[in-house]
Coordinates of all heavy atoms in Angstrom, one line a residue:
M1 N -84.9 167.1 32.0 CA -85.5 168.4 31.8 C -86.8 168.4 32.5 O -87.6 167.5 32.3 CB -85.6 168.8 30.4 CG -86.3 170.1 30.1 SD -85.4 171.6 30.1 CE -84.0 171.3 29.1
K2 N -87.0 169.3 33.4 CA -88.3 169.4 34.1 C -89.2 170.5 33.4 O -88.7 171.6 33.1 CB -88.1 169.8 35.6 CG -87.5 168.8 36.4 CD -88.4 167.6 36.7 CE -87.8 166.6 37.6 NZ -88.6 165.4 37.7
H3 N -90.4 170.2 33.3 CA -91.4 171.1 32.7 C -92.3 171.6 33.8 O -93.0 170.8 34.4 CB -92.2 170.4 31.6 CG -91.3 169.8 30.5 ND1 -90.7 170.6 29.5 CD2 -90.9 168.6 30.3 CE1 -89.9 169.9 28.8 NE2 -90.0 168.6 29.2
V4 N -92.3 172.9 34.0 CA -93.1 173.5 35.1 C -94.1 174.5 34.5 O -93.8 175.4 33.8 CB -92.1 174.3 36.0 CG1 -92.9 174.9 37.2 CG2 -91.0 173.4 36.5
L5 N -95.4 174.2 34.9 CA -96.5 175.1 34.6 C -96.7 176.0 35.7 O -96.9 175.5 36.9 CB -97.7 174.2 34.3 CG -99.0 175.0 34.1 CD1 -99.0 175.9 32.8 CD2 -100.2 174.0 33.9
V6 N -96.8 177.3 35.5 CA -97.0 178.3 36.5 C -98.4 178.9 36.3 O -98.6 179.5 35.3 CB -95.9 179.4 36.5 CG1 -96.2 180.4 37.7 CG2 -94.6 178.8 36.7
L7 N -99.3 178.6 37.2 CA -100.7 179.2 37.1 C -100.7 180.4 38.0 O -100.1 180.4 39.1 CB -101.7 178.2 37.6 CG -101.7 176.8 36.9 CD1 -102.7 175.9 37.6 CD2 -102.1 177.0 35.5
G8 N -101.4 181.4 37.6 CA -101.5 182.7 38.4 C -100.2 183.4 38.3 O -99.7 184.0 39.2
T9 N -99.7 183.4 37.1 CA -98.4 184.0 36.8 C -98.3 185.5 37.1 O -97.2 186.0 37.4 CB -98.1 183.9 35.2 OG1 -98.1 182.5 35.0 CG2 -96.8 184.4 34.9
G10 N -99.4 186.2 37.2 CA -99.3 187.6 37.5 C -99.1 187.9 38.9 O -98.9 189.1 39.3
G11 N -99.3 187.0 39.8 CA -99.1 187.2 41.2 C -97.7 187.5 41.7 O -96.7 187.0 41.0
Q12 N -97.5 188.2 42.8 CA -96.2 188.6 43.2 C -95.4 187.4 43.6 O -94.2 187.3 43.2 CB -96.3 189.5 44.4 CG -95.0 190.0 44.9 CD -95.1 191.0 46.1 OE1 -96.2 191.1 46.7 NE2 -94.0 191.7 46.4
I13 N -95.9 186.4 44.3 CA -95.2 185.2 44.7 C -94.8 184.4 43.4 O -93.6 184.0 43.3 CB -96.0 184.4 45.7 CG1 -96.2 185.1 47.0 CG2 -95.2 183.0 46.0 CD1 -97.2 184.4 47.9
A14 N -95.7 184.3 42.5 CA -95.4 183.6 41.2 C -94.2 184.3 40.5 O -93.4 183.6 39.9 CB -96.6 183.5 40.4
Q15 N -94.2 185.6 40.6 CA -93.1 186.4 39.9 C -91.7 186.0 40.5 O -90.7 185.9 39.8 CB -93.3 187.9 40.0 CG -94.4 188.3 39.1 CD -94.1 188.1 37.6 OE1 -93.1 188.5 37.1 NE2 -95.0 187.5 36.9
W16 N -91.7 185.8 41.9 CA -90.5 185.4 42.5 C -90.1 184.0 42.0 O -88.9 183.7 41.8 CB -90.6 185.4 44.0 CG -90.8 186.7 44.6 CD1 -90.5 187.9 44.1 CD2 -91.5 187.0 45.9 NE1 -90.8 189.0 45.0 CE2 -91.4 188.4 46.1 CE3 -92.0 186.2 46.9 CZ2 -91.9 189.0 47.2 CZ3 -92.6 186.8 48.0 CH2 -92.5 188.2 48.1
V17 N -91.0 183.1 42.0 CA -90.8 181.7 41.5 C -90.2 181.8 40.1 O -89.3 181.1 39.8 CB -92.1 180.9 41.6 CG1 -91.9 179.5 40.9 CG2 -92.5 180.7 43.0
I18 N -90.8 182.5 39.2 CA -90.4 182.6 37.8 C -89.0 183.2 37.7 O -88.1 182.6 37.0 CB -91.4 183.5 37.0 CG1 -92.7 182.9 36.9 CG2 -90.8 183.9 35.6 CD1 -93.8 183.8 36.4
R19 N -88.6 184.2 38.5 CA -87.3 184.7 38.5 C -86.3 183.7 39.0 O -85.2 183.5 38.5 CB -87.2 186.0 39.4 CG -87.7 187.2 38.7 CD -87.3 188.5 39.4 NE -87.9 188.7 40.7 CZ -89.1 189.2 40.9 NH1 -89.8 189.7 39.9 NH2 -89.5 189.3 42.2
M20 N -86.7 182.9 40.0 CA -85.8 181.9 40.6 C -85.5 180.8 39.5 O -84.4 180.3 39.4 CB -86.4 181.2 41.8 CG -85.6 180.2 42.4 SD -86.4 179.4 43.8 CE -87.6 178.4 43.0
L21 N -86.6 180.4 38.8 CA -86.4 179.3 37.8 C -85.9 179.8 36.4 O -85.6 179.0 35.6 CB -87.8 178.6 37.6 CG -88.3 177.8 38.8 CD1 -89.7 177.3 38.6 CD2 -87.3 176.7 39.2
A22 N -85.9 181.1 36.2 CA -85.5 181.6 34.9 C -84.0 181.2 34.6 O -83.7 181.0 33.4 CB -85.6 183.2 35.0
G23 N -83.2 181.1 35.6 CA -81.8 180.7 35.3 C -81.5 179.2 35.4 O -80.4 178.8 35.2
A24 N -82.6 178.4 35.6 CA -82.4 177.0 35.7 C -82.3 176.3 34.4 O -83.2 176.4 33.6 CB -83.5 176.4 36.5
N25 N -81.1 175.8 34.1 CA -80.9 175.2 32.8 C -81.6 173.9 32.6 O -81.7 173.4 31.5 CB -79.4 175.0 32.5 CG -78.6 176.3 32.5 OD1 -79.1 177.3 32.0 ND2 -77.4 176.3 32.9
D26 N -82.1 173.3 33.7 CA -82.7 172.0 33.7 C -84.2 172.1 33.7 O -84.9 171.1 33.9 CB -82.2 171.1 34.8 CG -82.6 171.7 36.2 OD1 -83.0 172.9 36.2 OD2 -82.6 170.9 37.2
S27 N -84.8 173.2 33.4 CA -86.3 173.4 33.4 C -86.8 174.3 32.3 O -86.1 175.2 31.9 CB -86.8 173.8 34.8 OG -86.2 175.0 35.1
T28 N -88.0 174.0 31.9 CA -88.7 174.9 31.0 C -90.0 175.4 31.7 O -90.6 174.6 32.4 CB -89.0 174.3 29.6 OG1 -89.9 173.1 29.9 CG2 -87.8 173.8 28.9
L29 N -90.4 176.6 31.5 CA -91.5 177.1 32.2 C -92.7 177.4 31.2 O -92.4 177.9 30.0 CB -91.2 178.5 32.8 CG -90.0 178.5 33.8 CD1 -89.8 179.9 34.3 CD2 -90.3 177.5 35.0
T30 N -93.9 177.1 31.6 CA -95.1 177.6 30.8 C -95.8 178.5 31.8 O -96.2 178.1 32.9 CB -96.0 176.4 30.5 OG1 -95.2 175.5 29.7 CG2 -97.2 176.8 29.7
L31 N -95.9 179.8 31.4 CA -96.5 180.8 32.2 C -98.0 181.0 31.7 O -98.2 181.4 30.6 CB -95.8 182.1 32.0 CG -94.2 182.0 32.2 CD1 -93.6 183.4 32.0 CD2 -93.9 181.4 33.6
F32 N -98.9 180.6 32.5 CA -100.3 180.5 32.2 C -101.1 181.7 32.9 O -101.1 181.7 34.1 CB -100.9 179.2 32.6 CG -102.3 178.9 32.1 CD1 -102.5 178.3 30.9 CD2 -103.4 179.1 32.9 CE1 -103.8 178.0 30.4 CE2 -104.7 178.9 32.5 CZ -104.9 178.3 31.2
L33 N -101.7 182.6 32.1 CA -102.4 183.7 32.7 C -103.5 184.2 31.7 O -103.4 183.9 30.5 CB -101.5 184.8 33.1 CG -100.8 185.6 32.0 CD1 -100.3 186.9 32.6 CD2 -99.6 184.9 31.3
R34 N -104.4 184.9 32.3 CA -105.6 185.3 31.4 C -105.2 186.4 30.4 O -105.7 186.4 29.3 CB -106.7 185.9 32.3 CG -107.5 184.9 33.0 CD -108.5 185.5 33.9 NE -107.9 186.1 35.0 CZ -108.4 186.4 36.1 NH1 -109.7 186.2 36.3 NH2 -107.8 187.0 37.1
N35 N -104.3 187.3 30.8 CA -103.9 188.4 30.0 C -102.4 188.6 29.9 O -101.8 189.1 30.9 CB -104.6 189.7 30.5 CG -104.4 190.9 29.6 OD1 -103.5 190.9 28.7 ND2 -105.1 192.0 29.8
A36 N -101.8 188.2 28.8 CA -100.4 188.2 28.7 C -99.8 189.6 28.8 O -98.7 189.9 29.2 CB -99.9 187.6 27.4
G37 N -100.7 190.6 28.5 CA -100.3 192.0 28.6 C -100.0 192.5 30.0 O -99.3 193.5 30.2
K38 N -100.5 191.7 31.0 CA -100.3 192.1 32.4 C -99.1 191.4 33.0 O -98.8 191.6 34.2 CB -101.5 191.8 33.2 CG -102.7 192.6 32.8 CD -103.9 192.4 33.8 CE -105.0 193.3 33.5 NZ -106.1 193.2 34.4
L39 N -98.3 190.7 32.2 CA -97.2 190.0 32.7 C -96.1 191.0 33.0 O -95.7 191.8 32.2 CB -96.7 189.0 31.7 CG -95.6 188.0 32.1 CD1 -96.0 187.2 33.3 CD2 -95.2 187.2 30.9
A40 N -95.7 191.0 34.3 CA -94.7 192.0 34.7 C -93.3 191.5 34.3 O -92.9 190.4 34.4 CB -94.7 192.1 36.2
G41 N -92.5 192.5 33.8 CA -91.1 192.2 33.4 C -91.1 191.4 32.1 O -92.0 191.2 31.4
S42 N -89.9 190.9 31.8 CA -89.7 190.2 30.5 C -89.9 188.7 30.7 O -89.8 188.2 31.9 CB -88.3 190.5 30.0 OG -87.3 190.0 30.9
V43 N -90.1 188.0 29.7 CA -90.3 186.6 29.7 C -88.9 185.9 29.6 O -88.2 186.2 28.7 CB -91.2 186.1 28.5 CG1 -91.3 184.6 28.5 CG2 -92.6 186.8 28.6
P44 N -88.6 185.0 30.6 CA -87.3 184.3 30.6 C -87.1 183.5 29.3 O -88.1 183.1 28.7 CB -87.4 183.4 31.8 CG -88.4 184.0 32.7 CD -89.4 184.6 31.7
A45 N -85.9 183.3 28.9 CA -85.6 182.5 27.7 C -86.1 181.1 27.8 O -86.4 180.5 26.7 CB -84.1 182.6 27.5
N46 N -86.2 180.6 29.0 CA -86.6 179.2 29.1 C -88.2 179.1 29.4 O -88.6 178.1 29.9 CB -85.9 178.5 30.2 CG -86.2 179.1 31.6 OD1 -86.5 180.2 31.7 ND2 -86.0 178.3 32.6
A47 N -88.9 180.1 29.0 CA -90.3 180.2 29.2 C -91.1 180.5 28.0 O -90.6 181.1 27.0 CB -90.7 181.2 30.3
R48 N -92.4 180.0 28.0 CA -93.4 180.4 27.0 C -94.6 180.8 27.7 O -94.9 180.4 28.8 CB -93.7 179.2 26.0 CG -94.4 178.1 26.6 CD -94.6 176.9 25.6 NE -95.3 175.8 26.3 CZ -96.6 175.5 26.0 NH1 -97.3 176.2 25.1 NH2 -97.2 174.5 26.6
V49 N -95.3 181.7 27.1 CA -96.5 182.3 27.7 C -97.7 181.7 27.0 O -97.8 181.6 25.8 CB -96.5 183.9 27.5 CG1 -97.8 184.4 28.0 CG2 -95.3 184.5 28.2
V50 N -98.7 181.3 27.8 CA -100.0 180.7 27.3 C -101.1 181.5 28.0 O -101.2 181.6 29.2 CB -100.1 179.2 27.6 CG1 -101.5 178.7 27.2 CG2 -99.0 178.4 27.0
E51 N -101.9 182.1 27.1 CA -103.1 182.8 27.6 C -104.3 181.9 27.8 O -104.5 181.0 27.0 CB -103.6 184.0 26.7 CG -102.8 185.2 26.9 CD -103.4 186.4 26.1 OE1 -103.9 186.2 25.0 OE2 -103.3 187.5 26.6
G52 N -104.9 181.9 29.0 CA -106.1 181.1 29.2 C -106.6 181.4 30.6 O -106.1 182.2 31.4
N53 N -107.7 180.7 30.9 CA -108.4 180.8 32.2 C -108.4 179.5 32.9 O -108.9 178.5 32.3 CB -109.9 181.3 31.9 CG -110.6 181.7 33.1 OD1 -110.4 181.1 34.2 ND2 -111.6 182.6 33.0
V54 N -107.9 179.5 34.1 CA -107.9 178.3 34.9 C -109.2 177.7 35.2 O -109.4 176.5 35.5 CB -107.1 178.4 36.3 CG1 -105.7 178.8 36.0 CG2 -107.8 179.4 37.2
L55 N -110.3 178.5 35.0 CA -111.7 177.9 35.2 C -112.2 177.2 34.0 O -113.2 176.6 34.1 CB -112.6 179.1 35.6 CG -112.3 179.8 36.9 CD1 -113.2 180.9 37.2 CD2 -112.3 178.8 38.1
Q56 N -111.5 177.3 32.9 CA -111.8 176.6 31.6 C -111.1 175.3 31.6 O -109.9 175.3 31.3 CB -111.6 177.5 30.4 CG -112.3 178.8 30.4 CD -113.8 178.6 30.4 OE1 -114.3 177.7 29.7 NE2 -114.6 179.3 31.2
K57 N -111.7 174.2 31.8 CA -111.1 172.9 31.9 C -110.3 172.6 30.7 O -109.1 172.1 30.8 CB -112.1 171.8 32.2 CG -111.6 170.5 32.5 CD -112.6 169.5 32.8 CE -112.0 168.1 33.0 NZ -113.1 167.1 33.3
K58 N -110.8 172.8 29.5 CA -110.1 172.4 28.3 C -108.8 173.2 28.2 O -107.7 172.6 27.8 CB -110.9 172.6 27.1 CG -112.0 171.6 26.9 CD -112.8 171.8 25.6 CE -113.9 170.8 25.5 NZ -114.7 171.0 24.3
Q59 N -108.8 174.5 28.5 CA -107.6 175.3 28.4 C -106.6 174.8 29.4 O -105.4 174.7 29.1 CB -107.9 176.8 28.7 CG -108.8 177.4 27.6 CD -109.2 178.8 27.9 OE1 -108.8 179.4 28.9 NE2 -110.0 179.4 27.1
L60 N -107.0 174.5 30.6 CA -106.1 174.1 31.6 C -105.5 172.7 31.4 O -104.3 172.5 31.5 CB -106.8 174.1 33.0 CG -105.9 173.8 34.2 CD1 -104.8 174.8 34.3 CD2 -106.8 173.8 35.5
V61 N -106.3 171.8 30.9 CA -105.8 170.5 30.6 C -104.8 170.5 29.5 O -103.7 169.9 29.5 CB -107.0 169.5 30.2 CG1 -106.5 168.2 29.5 CG2 -107.9 169.2 31.4
S62 N -105.0 171.4 28.5 CA -104.1 171.6 27.4 C -102.8 172.1 27.9 O -101.7 171.7 27.5 CB -104.7 172.5 26.3 OG -103.8 172.8 25.3
A63 N -102.8 173.1 28.8 CA -101.6 173.7 29.4 C -100.8 172.7 30.2 O -99.6 172.7 30.3 CB -101.9 174.9 30.2
M64 N -101.6 171.7 30.9 CA -100.9 170.8 31.8 C -100.3 169.6 31.0 O -99.4 168.9 31.6 CB -102.0 170.2 32.8 CG -102.4 171.2 33.8 SD -103.8 170.6 34.8 CE -102.8 169.5 35.9
A65 N -100.6 169.5 29.8 CA -100.0 168.3 29.0 C -98.5 168.4 29.0 O -97.9 169.5 28.6 CB -100.6 168.4 27.6
G66 N -97.9 167.3 29.3 CA -96.4 167.3 29.3 C -95.7 167.9 30.5 O -94.4 168.0 30.5
Q67 N -96.4 168.4 31.4 CA -95.8 169.1 32.6 C -95.4 168.1 33.6 O -96.0 167.1 33.8 CB -96.7 170.2 33.2 CG -97.2 171.2 32.2 CD -96.1 172.1 31.7 OE1 -95.1 172.3 32.3 NE2 -96.3 172.7 30.5
D68 N -94.3 168.4 34.3 CA -93.9 167.6 35.5 C -94.3 168.1 36.8 O -94.5 167.4 37.8 CB -92.3 167.5 35.5 CG -91.8 166.8 34.2 OD1 -92.2 165.7 33.9 OD2 -91.0 167.5 33.6
L69 N -94.5 169.5 36.8 CA -94.8 170.2 38.1 C -95.8 171.3 37.7 O -95.6 172.0 36.7 CB -93.5 170.7 38.7 CG -93.7 171.5 40.0 CD1 -93.8 170.6 41.2 CD2 -92.5 172.5 40.2
V70 N -96.8 171.5 38.6 CA -97.7 172.6 38.4 C -97.6 173.5 39.7 O -97.8 173.0 40.8 CB -99.1 172.1 38.2 CG1 -100.1 173.4 38.1 CG2 -99.3 171.3 37.0
Y71 N -97.2 174.7 39.5 CA -97.1 175.7 40.6 C -98.4 176.5 40.4 O -98.5 177.2 39.4 CB -95.8 176.5 40.6 CG -95.9 177.6 41.6 CD1 -95.6 177.4 42.9 CD2 -96.3 178.9 41.2 CE1 -95.7 178.4 43.8 CE2 -96.4 179.9 42.1 CZ -96.1 179.7 43.5 OH -96.2 180.7 44.4
A72 N -99.2 176.5 41.4 CA -100.5 177.3 41.3 C -100.5 178.4 42.4 O -100.5 178.1 43.6 CB -101.7 176.3 41.6
N73 N -100.5 179.6 41.9 CA -100.6 180.7 42.8 C -102.0 181.3 42.6 O -102.2 182.3 41.9 CB -99.5 181.8 42.4 CG -99.4 182.9 43.3 OD1 -99.0 182.7 44.5 ND2 -99.7 184.1 42.9
L74 N -103.0 180.6 43.2 CA -104.4 181.0 43.0 C -105.0 181.3 44.3 O -104.5 180.8 45.4 CB -105.1 179.8 42.3 CG -104.5 179.3 41.0 CD1 -105.1 178.0 40.6 CD2 -104.6 180.4 39.9
T75 N -106.2 181.9 44.3 CA -107.0 182.1 45.5 C -108.3 181.5 45.3 O -108.8 181.2 44.2 CB -107.2 183.6 45.8 OG1 -107.8 184.2 44.7 CG2 -105.8 184.3 46.0
G76 N -108.9 181.2 46.5 CA -110.2 180.6 46.5 C -110.2 179.1 46.8 O -109.5 178.3 46.2
E77 N -111.0 178.7 47.8 CA -111.0 177.3 48.2 C -111.5 176.4 47.1 O -111.0 175.3 46.9 CB -111.9 177.1 49.4 CG -111.3 177.8 50.7 CD -112.3 177.7 51.8 OE1 -113.1 176.8 51.9 OE2 -112.2 178.6 52.7
D78 N -112.5 176.8 46.4 CA -113.0 176.0 45.3 C -112.0 175.8 44.2 O -111.9 174.7 43.7 CB -114.3 176.7 44.7 CG -115.0 175.8 43.7 OD1 -115.2 174.6 44.1 OD2 -115.4 176.2 42.7
L79 N -111.2 176.8 43.9 CA -110.2 176.7 42.8 C -109.2 175.6 43.2 O -108.9 174.7 42.4 CB -109.5 178.0 42.6 CG -110.1 179.0 41.8 CD1 -109.3 180.3 41.7 CD2 -110.3 178.5 40.3
M80 N -108.7 175.6 44.5 CA -107.7 174.7 44.9 C -108.3 173.3 44.9 O -107.6 172.3 44.4 CB -107.1 175.1 46.2 CG -106.4 176.4 46.2 SD -105.6 176.8 47.7 CE -104.2 175.7 47.7
R81 N -109.5 173.1 45.3 CA -110.1 171.7 45.4 C -110.3 171.2 43.9 O -109.9 170.1 43.6 CB -111.4 171.8 46.1 CG -112.0 170.4 46.3 CD -113.4 170.4 47.0 NE -114.4 170.9 46.0 CZ -115.1 172.0 46.1 NH1 -114.9 172.8 47.1 NH2 -116.0 172.3 45.2
R82 N -110.8 172.1 43.1 CA -111.0 171.7 41.7 C -109.7 171.3 41.0 O -109.6 170.3 40.2 CB -111.6 172.9 41.0 CG -112.1 172.6 39.6 CD -112.7 173.8 38.9 NE -113.7 174.4 39.7 CZ -114.3 175.5 39.4 NH1 -114.1 176.1 38.2 NH2 -115.2 176.1 40.2
H83 N -108.6 172.1 41.2 CA -107.4 171.8 40.5 C -106.6 170.6 41.0 O -105.9 169.9 40.3 CB -106.5 173.0 40.4 CG -107.2 174.1 39.5 ND1 -107.7 173.9 38.3 CD2 -107.6 175.4 39.8 CE1 -108.2 174.9 37.8 NE2 -108.2 175.9 38.7
K84 N -106.8 170.4 42.3 CA -106.2 169.1 42.9 C -106.8 167.9 42.3 O -106.1 167.0 41.9 CB -106.4 169.1 44.4 CG -105.4 170.0 45.1 CD -105.7 170.0 46.6 CE -104.8 171.0 47.4 NZ -105.0 171.0 48.8
R85 N -108.1 168.0 42.1 CA -108.9 166.8 41.5 C -108.4 166.7 40.0 O -108.2 165.6 39.6 CB -110.4 167.1 41.6 CG -111.2 165.9 41.1 CD -112.7 166.2 41.4 NE -113.2 167.5 41.0 CZ -113.8 168.3 41.8 NH1 -114.1 168.0 43.0 NH2 -114.2 169.5 41.3
L86 N -108.3 167.8 39.3 CA -107.9 167.7 37.9 C -106.5 167.2 37.8 O -106.2 166.4 36.9 CB -108.0 169.1 37.3 CG -107.7 169.3 35.9 CD1 -108.6 168.4 35.0 CD2 -107.7 170.7 35.4
S87 N -105.6 167.6 38.7 CA -104.2 167.1 38.6 C -104.1 165.6 38.8 O -103.2 164.9 38.2 CB -103.3 167.8 39.5 OG -103.6 167.6 40.8
R88 N -105.0 165.0 39.6 CA -105.0 163.6 39.8 C -105.5 162.8 38.5 O -105.2 161.7 38.3 CB -105.9 163.2 41.0 CG -105.3 163.6 42.3 CD -106.1 163.0 43.4 NE -107.5 163.3 43.5 CZ -108.0 164.3 44.2 NH1 -107.2 165.0 45.0 NH2 -109.3 164.6 44.2
R89 N -106.3 163.5 37.7 CA -106.8 162.9 36.5 C -105.9 163.0 35.2 O -106.3 162.5 34.2 CB -108.2 163.6 36.1 CG -109.2 163.3 37.1 CD -110.5 163.9 36.6 NE -111.5 163.8 37.7 CZ -112.6 164.5 37.7 NH1 -112.9 165.4 36.8 NH2 -113.5 164.3 38.7
C90 N -104.8 163.7 35.4 CA -103.9 163.9 34.2 C -103.4 162.5 33.7 O -103.2 161.6 34.5 CB -102.7 164.8 34.6 SG -103.2 166.5 34.7
A91 N -103.2 162.4 32.4 CA -102.7 161.2 31.8 C -101.3 160.9 32.4 O -100.9 159.7 32.5 CB -102.6 161.3 30.3
R92 N -100.6 161.9 32.7 CA -99.2 161.8 33.2 C -99.2 162.3 34.6 O -99.8 163.4 34.8 CB -98.3 162.6 32.3 CG -96.9 162.6 32.7 CD -96.1 163.3 31.6 NE -94.8 163.5 32.1 CZ -93.9 164.4 31.6 NH1 -94.3 165.1 30.5 NH2 -92.7 164.5 32.0
P93 N -98.6 161.6 35.6 CA -98.6 162.2 37.0 C -98.0 163.6 37.0 O -96.9 163.8 36.4 CB -97.8 161.2 37.7 CG -97.8 159.9 36.9 CD -97.9 160.4 35.5
V94 N -98.6 164.5 37.7 CA -98.1 165.8 37.9 C -98.0 166.1 39.3 O -98.9 165.8 40.1 CB -99.1 166.8 37.2 CG1 -98.7 168.3 37.5 CG2 -99.2 166.6 35.7
S95 N -96.9 166.8 39.7 CA -96.7 167.1 41.1 C -97.2 168.6 41.3 O -96.7 169.5 40.8 CB -95.3 167.1 41.5 OG -94.8 165.8 41.4
P96 N -98.3 168.8 42.1 CA -98.8 170.1 42.3 C -98.1 170.8 43.5 O -97.8 170.2 44.5 CB -100.3 169.9 42.6 CG -100.4 168.6 43.2 CD -99.2 167.8 42.6
V97 N -97.9 172.1 43.3 CA -97.4 172.9 44.4 C -98.4 174.1 44.5 O -98.6 174.8 43.5 CB -96.0 173.5 44.1 CG1 -95.5 174.4 45.2 CG2 -95.0 172.3 44.0
W98 N -99.0 174.3 45.7 CA -100.0 175.3 45.9 C -99.6 176.4 46.7 O -98.9 176.2 47.7 CB -101.3 174.6 46.5 CG -101.8 173.5 45.7 CD1 -101.5 172.2 45.9 CD2 -102.6 173.5 44.5 NE1 -102.1 171.4 45.0 CE2 -102.8 172.2 44.1 CE3 -103.2 174.6 43.8 CZ2 -103.5 171.9 43.0 CZ3 -103.9 174.2 42.7 CH2 -104.1 172.9 42.3
S99 N -99.9 177.6 46.3 CA -99.6 178.8 47.1 C -100.9 179.7 47.0 O -101.5 179.8 46.0 CB -98.4 179.5 46.5 OG -98.2 180.8 47.1
S100 N -101.2 180.2 48.2 CA -102.4 181.1 48.2 C -102.1 182.3 49.1 O -101.5 182.2 50.2 CB -103.6 180.4 48.8 OG -104.7 181.2 48.8
S101 N -102.5 183.5 48.6 CA -102.3 184.7 49.4 C -103.5 185.0 50.2 O -103.6 186.1 50.8 CB -101.9 185.8 48.5 OG -103.0 186.0 47.6
R102 N -104.4 184.1 50.3 CA -105.7 184.3 51.0 C -105.4 184.5 52.5 O -104.6 183.8 53.1 CB -106.6 183.1 50.8 CG -107.9 183.3 51.4 CD -108.8 182.2 50.9 NE -110.1 182.4 51.6 CZ -110.9 181.4 51.9 NH1 -110.6 180.2 51.7 NH2 -112.0 181.7 52.5
R103 N -106.1 185.4 53.1 CA -105.8 185.7 54.5 C -106.9 185.1 55.3 O -107.9 184.8 55.0 CB -105.8 187.2 54.7 CG -104.7 187.8 54.0 CD -104.8 189.3 54.1 NE -103.7 189.8 53.2 CZ -103.4 191.1 53.1 NH1 -104.0 192.0 53.8 NH2 -102.5 191.5 52.3

């Protein structure tokens, strides 16, 4: 079973990723976003929603615990640099996948 953390869950690309993984019997999703009320559509059966802010290290570290893969749909150069560094410090190796809509 793969555990996938999705950061920036409210973004359009992240929504496509969530829909794609919703039917995957071999994975569980953790949908991390600031305001769960802004989550578009329904939450897949294989997902749980966690409210938090990616800029708050404790919240992010807690959400990353036990994850195999982190999909980050975030913007901002500083955010990406910060989270790459954080993923290297995890107690358990995490494979990051980064997506940015920055133009």
